Amino acid sequence: MAQVHVVRRENRIRFDYLFDDYFQLRHKIYVEQRKWAALARPDGREIDQFDTDNAVYLFAIENNRVIGSMRAVPTTSPTLMSHIFPHLNMGEPIHRPDVYELSRIFVVPERRGEHGGPRLEAVLRAAIMEYGISLGLTGFTIVLEAWWLPRLEDQGWRVKPLGLPEKIDGMQVLGVFVACDEEAWLTNCRSCGIVAPTINWLGLETLSRISLPSIARQEVAQ
Ligand code: COA
């Protein structure tokens, strides 16, 4: 059973052994499988300018291996939307300490779909909401492909487009803002059969003290 860990600057040393495989996995998934050629690197590791000390990673780990992940970058730092696709946001640029930008969500091919429990992709999304609520975040920006929209909305994410979709490398892509709150978290959990908080806060004990309100915990546990 995979465990979802939050990895930040403060506890990264505990997970350093996973990062090289993680970047190689990103290269396999995004460059080789999804054919996002612009991300190709001769060393076979997909690392970009947003993989800085400020990035927060969710790692779903099983048998000492990352099998799914998501990245969150503070919007007070450069992000995909602010620096690569600013035209996807037709409103005011978003640079706020309470808003992070999500990217690089993936699950290894053999663990996609359902395997007798909640889909790992849904678990990662529940985990990032849980993380956001715990830290007092109010929302996430995302540059995403349009096929995500009905899927996210079906699972309780309230998604607000920030501009018009644009065809980029054959994909319809748009910028969105997603509200991060208990309602979205609980709906996400209910719709996917997630019955308990999903994050393991190993090495971030001080953050884990800022816990989810007990009412939410009780409701999810019911
Ligand atoms: N275009 C259109 N639809 C897609 C898609 C794509 N590139 N990738 C997945 N989907 C759809 C599938 O067709 C499937 O639809 P269905 O349920 O109606 O059959 C559904 O999403 C589920 O996808 P699947 O891959 O089977 O399982 P999952 O929900 O466990 O995982 C991802 C979803 C996106 C995490 C997984 O497909 C993945 O890791 N993809 C590679 C990384 C990626 O593209 N990430 C998104 C951009 S950062």
Side-chain angles (χ1 to χ4, degrees):
M1 173 74 180
Q3 286 223 322
V4 179
H5 290 268
V6 179
V7 183
R8 303 177 15 140
R9 177 194 299 118
E10 300 90 329
N11 67 343
R12 184 167 167 149
I13 194 152
R14 292 172 186 255
F15 298 93
D16 255 351
Y17 71 102
L18 291 169
F19 268 87
D20 193 47
D21 282 353
Y22 162 69
F23 289 129
Q24 290 189 54
L25 196 50
R26 271 176 36 181
H27 204 275
K28 269 199 191 85
I29 289 175
Y30 291 106
V31 178
E32 294 170 30
Q33 293 168 8
R34 297 246 24 217
K35 314 271 185 232
W36 292 2
L39 305 183
R41 291 185 17 144
D43 67 359
R45 278 133 183 103
E46 195 275 295
I47 302 176
D48 67 15
Q49 65 269 50
F50 310 114
D51 289 300
T52 68
D53 266 6
N54 292 328
V56 177
Y57 301 89
L58 293 182
F59 280 176
I61 302 175
E62 194 173 69
N63 299 327
N64 290 323
R65 183 175 158 248
V66 174
I67 61 168
S69 180
M70 183 187 290
R71 179 177 67 176
V73 173
T75 59
T76 48
S77 305
T79 65
L80 212 55
M81 196 180 302
S82 71
H83 276 60
I84 314 269
F85 302 111
H87 51 286
L88 293 181
N89 177 7
M90 294 167 83
E92 281 295 302
I94 298 171
H95 299 295
R96 284 167 35 191
D98 59 330
V99 177
Y100 273 52
E101 186 160 311
L102 306 182
S103 52
R104 299 297 189 268
I105 176 164
F106 71 82
V107 171
V108 293
E110 64 275 21
R111 295 302 299 271
R112 292 180 193 163
E114 295 189 20
H115 297 265
R119 267 178 314 111
L120 192 48
E121 180 266 338
V123 173
L124 286 166
R125 280 192 292 101
I128 201 65
M129 279 279 170
E130 199 180 311
Y131 176 80
I133 295 166
S134 302
L135 292 217
L137 304 186
T138 60
F140 301 110
T141 53
I142 322 178
V143 173
L144 47 63
E145 292 160 85
W147 59 266
W148 278 100
L149 291 181
R151 176 185 179 121
L152 295 180
E153 281 167 357
D154 279 355
Q155 294 173 15
W157 281 37
R158 298 197 306 287
V159 183
K160 189 177 117 203
L162 295 171
L164 297 173
E166 187 179 298
K167 202 161 194 181
I168 301 173
D169 293 337
M171 304 174 283
Q172 286 291 338
V173 175
L174 72 165
V176 301
F177 181 90
V178 176
C180 172
D181 55 29
E182 276 175 49
E183 186 193 331
W185 176 63
L186 288 169
T187 313
N188 187 156
C189 290
R190 276 193 219 106
S191 67
C192 306
I194 296 169
V195 294
T198 49
I199 294 182
N200 183 324
W201 295 88
L202 182 69
L204 293 172
E205 284 72 19
T206 50
L207 293 183
S208 71
R209 269 191 233 123
I210 311 167
S211 61
L212 291 168
S214 54
I215 184 167
R217 285 185 180 279
Q218 281 162 17
E219 198 181 328
V220 163
Q222 276 165 11

